[in-house]
Amino acid sequence: IYKVTNIITYKEFENLDIRVSTIVSAQENYKLNKPSIILEIDFGEEIGIKKSSAQLTKNYKSNDLIKRQVAAVVNFETKQIGNLISEVLVLGFPDDHNEPILVEPNKLVPNGGKLY
């Protein structure tokens, strides 16, 4: 039985800024210890285009990611990943092999919309 731990308040949840976006560019990067795909993601006019490095190569090809809408955290600190500064964290759930499956809306929504 799952036991809920680390209970947070709704206010703490609101501190996470999770937004919907559209992938506009995706390039496989095999120069890192763990292969990844470098993403350029459009969050709309207010936030703009941000970069992220995501370990998606087991379930996705770069070309299949273009124009896909995904959810990402936009208010984490930037992170150096190889020679890239990752600006956002793309969200996913683990598959049967603990590889990420992207979180995507099931209908087209405007880029930049905040999860609530």
Side-chain angles (χ1 to χ4, degrees):
I1 296 176
Y2 177 75
K3 182 174 169 41
V4 177
T5 59
N6 296 328
I7 304 291
I8 65 171
T9 65
Y10 188 77
K11 184 67 177 162
E12 289 170 313
F13 167 75
E14 286 181 317
N15 287 334
L16 274 177
D17 195 353
I18 300 172
R19 304 287 181 127
V20 67
S21 57
T22 300
I23 297 171
V24 294
S25 171
Q27 183 178 19
E28 293 173 8
N29 181 2
Y30 292 101
K31 297 177 184 175
L32 302 173
N33 291 338
K34 294 182 180 179
S36 65
I37 299 178
I38 298 170
L39 305 170
E40 288 188 349
I41 311 166
D42 184 0
F43 288 89
E45 197 172 301
E46 181 185 346
I47 298 171
I49 295 176
K50 300 291 182 182
K51 287 188 178 181
S52 184
S53 178
Q55 296 171 6
L56 302 171
T57 58
K58 299 287 185 187
N59 288 315
Y60 301 94
K61 298 287 181 214
S62 294
N63 291 343
D64 297 333
L65 293 169
I66 306 301
K67 296 185 181 177
R68 204 180 271 254
Q69 283 199 305
V70 296
V73 178
V74 298
N75 65 335
F76 276 153
E77 292 181 356
T78 59
K79 184 175 181 180
Q80 180 86 37
I81 301 175
N83 62 352
L84 173 80
I85 300 292
S86 186
E87 300 173 288
V88 298
L89 175 67
V90 176
L91 300 176
F93 291 106
D95 67 10
D96 291 342
H97 303 287
N98 206 35
E99 296 294 333
I101 301 295
L102 293 169
V103 174
E104 304 177 56
N106 61 6
K107 291 185 179 182
L108 188 64
V109 294
N111 286 338
K114 185 173 179 178
L115 180 77
Y116 60 84

